[in-house]
Amino acid sequence: MRFFADREICYADILPPSEVRARIEVAVLNFLKILTCTDPAISDLLLINRKSSNRRVSQGLLTDDDTWIFLSRSFCKRTLMRANAAKAFIRVWKVMEMCFKILSQEKRVTQRELFYKLLCVSPDCFSSQLQVNRTIQGLLRCSRYSLGIMASSRGIVAGRLLLQEPDKEVVDCSECGSSGYAISGDLDLLDRLVMKTDARYIIIVEKHAIFQRLAEDRLFNHIPSILITAKGYPDIATRFLLHRMSRTFPELPIMALVDWNPAGLAILCTFKFGSIGMGLEAYRYACNVKWLGLRGDDLQLLPEESLVSLKPRDLQIAKSLMSSETLQEKHREELALMVQSGKRAEIEALYFHGYDYLGKYIAKKIVQANYI
């Protein structure tokens, strides 16, 4: 069976529940047709290959602003004919069955909720969250949200941004305090938000604690800005809202404040280019993000004692980033400096100059256009 392989697969469709259910029904009917024909067989499932070797980069025609990761038309098989692949084959059908039920009930679940539902009904097939995540990626060539799976969001936003959900009061994100406005995991709701701003910049903050400090100090009153954080590695909902803001306010530059280490750069690159795991949907989340700090030329501001040795995990991330064709030359130079020095620096080290220094540091960087 050609599992929707007759169509070019380099992106995920955004579909209504009725069409997703129809695709599941067609897949089942095709499977049964082959199983019951005069020469019966168990058909393989062809799913998009998510290895790094299948990663491609979409480049903007005139600028790098529209650059993102996508996956080309290369497949991996799920088959019942090999013992080591049989469970993966069954997992695809189990996930489709559960998604069909969820969509029929007009419900949505998080990936974690889906895992526990599957664990309860099929404990022999599902033993980890990762197995569920890998199964739903690229399933039926439609987005996760179309399958009835919503994002579990950690993100928050603060600053000069007015948000209004349908039939709700306007929320002034500058009055949400250091806790910020919690970003919903409902992508449909985020897509329908009415947004207004008089900000001049959007600032991504890697760490929750740094975000709280900047929001508490009301940085956005001194530098007209919107602050957003995913509290570490970015979740889908935070990336989706940032992408929406970039399209709604295309004149606002987006800048990232991350630790000077490979993980900080990886977080920046995920916001900027997307990820292999979401390669079929990266075009919905990628943004043109500038690197504000920390960077190598900031090390002179920090006491030597605040620099920490790179860990083996840092070196693994660095190796992965170095092999990526998306990494820009100046980013590559920064990464090489990290590895060469064997050191890493965290944003909090700037507090050496006082708790109010961080805002001054950001303001100076922006005024001097000191970002890459």
Side-chain angles (χ1 to χ4, degrees):
M1 179 178 65
R2 301 291 289 175
F3 195 63
F4 292 100
D6 56 321
R7 297 172 61 183
E8 186 69 24
I9 298 185
C10 60
Y11 63 92
D13 292 329
I14 303 169
L15 303 171
S18 59
E19 190 165 340
V20 179
R21 292 199 307 268
R23 287 193 179 188
I24 295 173
E25 290 167 347
V26 168
V28 172
L29 290 173
N30 285 342
F31 180 84
L32 293 175
K33 181 180 178 180
I34 296 173
L35 188 64
T36 57
C37 68
T38 53
D39 186 18
I42 302 291
S43 52
D44 294 337
L45 300 178
L46 297 180
L47 302 179
I48 196 72
N49 182 357
R50 292 183 173 274
K51 293 183 179 179
S52 58
S53 58
N54 193 36
R55 178 180 60 194
R56 301 292 183 270
V57 179
S58 169
Q59 295 283 358
L61 292 177
L62 301 178
T63 69
D64 292 331
D65 293 2
D66 295 316
T67 300
W68 63 76
I69 292 171
F70 70 94
L71 300 175
S72 66
R73 196 170 180 264
S74 173
F75 298 94
C76 58
K77 284 186 179 182
R78 295 291 182 265
T79 178
L80 199 61
M81 298 297 102
R82 294 199 310 270
N84 62 346
K87 282 192 175 181
F89 177 88
I90 296 170
R91 280 196 289 268
V92 175
W93 291 107
K94 288 290 185 181
V95 169
M96 280 200 289
E97 178 189 21
M98 189 61 69
C99 288
F100 189 90
K101 291 179 179 178
I102 292 167
L103 294 171
S104 297
Q105 296 170 10
E106 299 183 348
K107 300 288 186 182
R108 294 199 181 275
V109 298
T110 64
Q111 287 187 156
R112 193 64 177 166
E113 291 170 335
L114 180 62
F115 166 62
Y116 278 107
K117 284 178 175 291
L118 291 164
L119 182 64
C120 291
V121 298
S122 307
D124 294 336
C125 296
F126 295 93
S127 58
S128 72
Q129 179 73 58
L130 185 60
Q131 291 173 337
V132 177
N133 297 353
R134 287 177 173 172
T135 302
I136 65 176
Q137 289 173 348
L139 187 62
L140 296 169
R141 204 174 70 85
C142 61
S143 69
R144 297 185 194 191
Y145 195 76
S146 298
L147 290 167
I149 301 167
M150 64 181 180
S152 180
S153 177
R154 303 182 305 274
I156 50 178
V157 63
R160 302 169 84 111
L161 179 66
L162 300 179
L163 295 175
Q164 186 174 19
E165 299 177 12
D167 304 319
K168 296 285 185 70
E169 294 292 324
V170 174
V171 175
D172 184 349
C173 294
S174 68
E175 300 300 329
C176 292
S178 61
S179 299
Y181 172 84
I183 299 171
S184 169
D186 187 337
L187 301 190
D188 184 55
L189 175 64
L190 294 180
D191 198 36
R192 290 183 290 134
L193 281 176
V194 177
M195 300 188 290
K196 296 180 181 179
T197 187
D198 63 351
R200 295 177 61 187
Y201 310 96
I202 299 173
I203 302 175
I204 301 169
V205 183
E206 175 187 349
K207 294 178 170 178
H208 185 207
I210 300 296
F211 175 95
Q212 288 181 308
R213 166 61 59 188
L214 296 176
E216 187 175 295
D217 293 345
R218 299 184 72 81
L219 173 75
F220 42 80
N221 284 346
H222 308 291
I223 305 168
S225 56
I226 300 168
L227 305 177
I228 186 169
T229 183
K231 303 177 185 178
Y233 194 83
D235 57 87
I236 295 172
T238 304
R239 289 161 58 190
F240 182 83
L241 180 61
L242 181 67
H243 183 266
R244 263 220 68 203
M245 286 195 290
S246 75
R247 290 296 185 257
T248 306
F249 314 120
E251 71 283 1
L252 301 189
I254 304 173
M255 304 176 185
L257 181 66
V258 298
D259 286 340
W260 191 71
N261 62 22
L265 179 55
I267 287 169
L268 184 151
C269 287
T270 301
F271 276 115
K272 187 175 179 67
F273 304 115
S275 62
I276 295 177
M278 293 295 294
L280 296 182
E281 301 182 57
Y283 70 96
R284 301 183 67 203
Y285 310 113
C287 302
N288 183 28
V289 179
K290 308 295 184 184
W291 191 354
L292 186 69
L294 293 174
R295 301 202 314 277
D297 58 3
D298 297 320
L299 299 185
Q300 60 185 330
L301 302 173
L302 309 178
E304 184 69 28
E305 296 78 12
S306 68
L307 302 181
V308 181
S309 297
L310 291 176
K311 300 177 181 178
R313 176 60 179 160
D314 293 316
L315 297 175
Q316 287 180 344
I317 296 172
K319 183 178 179 181
S320 176
L321 287 170
M322 280 294 192
S323 67
S324 172
E325 64 270 34
T326 62
L327 199 64
Q328 297 174 350
E329 189 57 36
K330 289 184 178 180
H331 293 180
R332 197 175 296 275
E333 291 172 2
E334 288 281 341
L335 186 59
L337 180 60
M338 293 177 201
V339 175
Q340 182 182 356
S341 68
K343 299 293 184 180
R344 50 184 286 172
E346 299 192 359
I347 303 167
E348 288 87 345
L350 290 170
Y351 291 152
F352 170 78
H353 300 281
Y355 287 111
D356 62 343
Y357 180 75
L358 184 56
K360 297 175 183 177
Y361 163 85
I362 294 172
K364 184 177 180 180
K365 285 267 190 178
I366 290 176
V367 169
Q368 295 179 345
N370 186 3
Y371 44 79
I372 57 177

